[in-house]
Amino acid sequence: MSGLIDTINPGLVLILAGLLAGLTPIQRVRQGLTLGAPVVALIMLLTATRDTDLATMSMLGFDMVLYRVDSLSFIFALAFLIAAFINAVYALHNDSQLEDSMALSYMGAAVAACFCRDFISLFVFWELTAITSVFLIFLSGTRAAYKAAMRYLALHVFSGVLLLFGAMQIYFDTGDMSVRHLELGDPGVLLVFIAFGIKAGFPFLHTWLADAYPKATVTGTVVLSAFTTKLAIYALARTFAGETSLVWIGAIMTVYPVFFAVVENDLRKVLSFSLNNQLGFMVCAIGVGTPLALNGAAAHAFCHIMYKSLLFMSMGAVLYRTGTTKATELGGLYRTMPWTTVFCLIGAASISAFPLFSGFVSKSLSMSALAGAGFLIPWLMLLFASAGVLEHSGIKIPYFAFFGHDSGKRPKEAPFNMLLAMGAAAFICVGVGLPAFLNGFGFDWLYSILPYAEDPKTVSYEPYTADHILTQMQLLMLAVFAFVVLQRIGAYPPEKRGIILDTDIVFRKLGYGLARWTGSVWNKAGPAIGSAFGGVSARAFSRLEAAFSPRGTLARGGFSNSMAIWTAVLLALALLVAFFIR
């Protein structure tokens, strides 16, 4: 029995639990499933044999590897399963049968995809993440959420289609369907690259993040923030490590969202822009492709899942208690939500890479790798983006939500299960960030499970050096000083209601215009086209009936006449087709 369990992909445990949760209306049972499934899957992961094909199958001539654990898939799956458990605790108060089911299935699909080593099985779970996650947006129940969910679903299903087409083209070119390192150049590889880029939020493909995530349910946004984009980062690290174009793509990703986040009023949308910014650091590191850089990408992904979940959880608690996350309608909440305030500040310090917090020990790996590889301009862009992160996520989020002007709102503190989940995420943010000599856990634990933990540069890498600390503190203090000065002189962009236009306005306008033009043309030409087509189809049907009906031409004289001739013609055509496609 244990041998059979050893061959089961841990993600399937979460998917099965999701199916069971969808069948039971009893909240206590669903709570047990949402809490128990990640624990069981985590135990399976920790006891799994490394670097061995644990589950394989052949289908339609394709060899599929459904379960293989190595150092890269291990750290991503570990972060996913920890996040799944924390999210389950955070959502314990939620009594939504469909949301529990879809959240578990979505998280399971992301975990399962980490262990797939062929494009067919990766495609299946890739699409499953899209189909299940969209319900977390739908269930918000607003018209805006419905529209955003439809745009989200269309784009992510399209990503899966590109992945499948690209994988098939790669197979036709090489005869190999395995997930492996790829080189840009062939059309199939380019399609796979774009498919991954959509989920990773590449420039001009990123707008779904800020469009959909802020419109999801209170708990749904937290779940969404941890899985989809980091699955794409894993896929890029697996297949395109060392692709230089990713350095520049990632650098643009870090800088571009900063300007939107600074002026955005919806704080959950600010965090969505910030999420895109943080993905850029990981994409940049993957583009460098050295062991130190890939370790930096993996470490940053792990830490980002924790502190971004923490920030989204704190804003979710604010939304749950006040009904809004608009900066213009918040302020002064620290008076009645002190614990949520503290946890938000820990998340803000972590994402800003303050020393003694997780972001400091993960981001410094990527920055050092980028500087060591000689990418000066991208390094400077990341340095600017690091200051921007402090402005919009490190300062703006906690300041305008909990401090700033007094909104007069005095909501209750978040429910206990929400605080417990935030406390667990905050513990990881602090624990991973501390030097090892302070707690015996610290960053060296994280470094020890990285994909290239044995790399000499990683083994000897020490984030807590004087130059690292001084450089980061100078950057952070400069950003704080700039915020204070701009606030005092009234030059900081004021928080006000409005709509921030992104590049998707082009696609929306073009799509809307095309739809209106098509509708107009059809209204004018449709009746004529329908009438003409109806006449043609009626005449064609009449001719076919006259030829092939029992009383038709071909039936006269039996098989010895026309029917025999037509049979011979059809047989000849079939033989020709068989000859050319054999």
Side-chain angles (χ1 to χ4, degrees):
M1 188 67 177
S2 61
L4 177 62
I5 294 176
D6 293 341
T7 64
I8 298 175
N9 187 319
L12 298 179
V13 174
L14 274 72
I15 294 174
L16 177 61
L19 293 174
L20 294 175
L23 295 175
T24 177
I26 304 172
Q27 185 180 10
R28 292 289 186 186
V29 175
R30 295 200 308 274
Q31 289 174 340
L33 288 170
T34 57
L35 290 172
V39 173
V40 173
L42 183 58
I43 294 172
M44 293 170 64
L45 172 64
L46 295 175
T47 57
T49 305
R50 300 282 191 93
D51 301 314
T52 301
D53 293 345
L54 298 174
T56 61
M57 67 176 292
S58 295
M59 185 176 67
L60 300 176
F62 296 113
D63 294 326
M64 302 167 64
V65 180
L66 304 177
Y67 185 24
R68 181 184 177 92
V69 183
D70 63 10
S71 54
L72 180 63
S73 59
F74 177 83
I75 187 169
F76 277 87
L78 178 65
F80 285 163
L81 291 172
I82 293 173
F85 181 78
I86 292 175
N87 289 333
V89 175
Y90 185 77
L92 281 177
H93 67 282
N94 193 26
D95 188 11
S96 173
Q97 187 174 348
L98 183 57
E99 186 170 356
D100 289 342
S101 175
M102 292 299 103
L104 271 171
S105 301
Y106 165 53
M107 295 185 289
V111 172
C114 290
F115 303 119
C116 295
R117 299 302 292 271
D118 67 277
F119 280 111
I120 297 296
S121 53
L122 176 63
F123 162 76
V124 171
F125 292 116
W126 192 267
E127 288 288 59
L128 187 57
T129 60
I131 295 168
T132 51
S133 61
V134 75
F135 285 93
L136 304 179
I137 308 167
F138 273 130
L139 290 171
S140 185
T142 65
R143 182 168 178 79
Y146 172 79
K147 291 182 176 180
M150 294 304 295
R151 291 189 291 268
Y152 172 94
L153 182 62
L155 192 59
H156 283 260
V157 169
F158 178 62
S159 168
V161 171
L162 290 179
L163 175 59
L164 182 61
F165 282 0
M168 295 307 297
Q169 185 62 52
I170 292 171
Y171 178 76
F172 291 145
D173 292 339
T174 65
D176 187 359
M177 192 60 84
S178 65
V179 176
R180 62 197 185 279
H181 185 266
L182 301 172
E183 296 286 347
L184 277 180
D186 296 330
V189 176
L190 181 59
L191 290 177
V192 171
F193 187 74
I194 297 172
F196 292 164
I198 290 174
K199 280 192 185 289
F202 280 6
F204 303 110
L205 302 174
H206 69 283
T207 54
W208 60 269
L209 269 167
D211 180 32
Y213 280 15
K215 299 180 180 70
T217 65
V218 170
T219 55
T221 303
V222 180
V223 180
L224 289 168
S225 70
F227 293 89
T228 295
T229 51
K230 263 62 72 182
L231 175 59
I233 293 298
Y234 162 78
L236 286 170
R238 174 71 70 189
T239 53
F240 291 104
E243 173 54 48
T244 307
S245 63
L246 288 175
V247 174
W248 297 96
I249 291 172
I252 295 171
M253 288 171 65
T254 62
V255 173
Y256 182 77
V258 169
F259 302 100
F260 290 90
V262 168
V263 298
E264 177 57 52
N265 186 37
D266 188 334
L267 297 183
R268 289 210 299 177
K269 200 166 186 177
V270 171
L271 287 177
S272 299
F273 283 123
S274 171
L275 195 158
N276 199 201
N277 157 279
Q278 292 293 291
L279 293 170
F281 284 88
M282 305 171 212
V283 171
C284 238
I286 292 169
V288 174
T290 61
L292 182 63
L294 293 174
N295 281 342
H300 203 156
F302 182 94
C303 294
H304 178 262
I305 288 172
M306 302 306 156
Y307 61 64
K308 184 61 71 174
S309 294
L310 177 56
L311 287 167
F312 270 112
M313 282 191 283
S314 64
M315 289 301 100
V318 169
L319 178 62
Y320 183 75
R321 286 305 194 196
T322 67
T324 183
T325 53
K326 300 292 178 65
T328 51
E329 301 172 17
L330 298 174
L333 300 186
Y334 75 92
R335 293 177 172 86
T336 55
M337 301 183 74
W339 283 108
T340 302
T341 303
V342 170
F343 294 139
C344 182
L345 289 171
I346 292 174
S350 299
I351 196 174
S352 303
F354 271 91
L356 304 182
F357 293 89
S358 59
F360 178 76
V361 302
S362 62
K363 189 180 293 184
S364 57
L365 283 172
S366 300
M367 295 291 288
S368 297
L370 194 65
F375 292 99
L376 177 59
I377 294 177
W379 183 82
L380 291 173
M381 293 172 70
L382 263 63
L383 201 64
F384 167 80
S386 297
V389 170
L390 176 61
E391 290 287 350
H392 59 68
S393 291
I395 299 176
K396 178 174 180 173
I397 294 292
Y399 178 78
F400 286 107
F402 300 102
F403 305 102
H405 72 281
D406 188 356
S407 64
K409 290 182 170 66
R410 297 294 184 267
K412 294 180 181 179
E413 181 58 278
F416 176 74
N417 64 289
M418 283 186 168
L419 293 177
L420 189 61
M422 286 188 277
F427 173 80
I428 295 173
C429 289
V430 175
V432 171
L434 290 176
F437 67 84
L438 290 181
N439 66 347
F441 179 68
F443 70 85
D444 62 336
W445 171 82
L446 178 63
Y447 287 3
S448 69
I449 61 171
L450 294 177
Y452 297 94
E454 73 284 353
D455 176 60
K457 289 186 177 180
T458 303
V459 172
S460 61
Y461 190 85
E462 171 57 60
Y464 285 101
T465 60
D467 59 328
H468 284 159
I469 295 174
L470 288 175
T471 300
Q472 186 65 13
M473 289 305 297
Q474 287 173 355
L475 181 69
L476 294 172
M477 291 303 103
L478 178 63
V480 171
F481 178 74
F483 177 84
V484 172
V485 170
L486 291 174
Q487 277 287 101
R488 292 299 294 263
I489 66 176
Y492 191 84
E495 303 310 304
K496 56 184 180 181
R497 297 175 180 86
I499 298 175
I500 307 299
L501 299 180
D502 205 340
T503 55
D504 62 339
I505 191 65
V506 177
F507 307 116
R508 292 200 202 183
K509 288 291 186 183
L510 286 175
Y512 181 67
L514 181 61
R516 289 195 63 180
W517 178 82
T518 304
S520 176
V521 169
W522 179 254
N523 288 335
K524 293 177 180 178
I529 294 173
S531 177
F533 180 77
V536 170
S537 61
R539 288 193 294 272
F541 180 78
S542 178
R543 297 255 181 113
L544 288 172
E545 184 181 28
F548 291 98
S549 71
R551 297 179 298 277
T553 305
L554 295 181
R556 296 170 190 165
F559 281 105
S560 59
N561 298 328
S562 302
M563 198 61 192
I565 295 173
W566 279 100
T567 302
V569 170
L570 292 174
L571 180 60
L573 288 173
L575 289 173
L576 278 172
V577 171
F579 175 78
F580 283 112
I581 67 171
R582 63 178 179 171

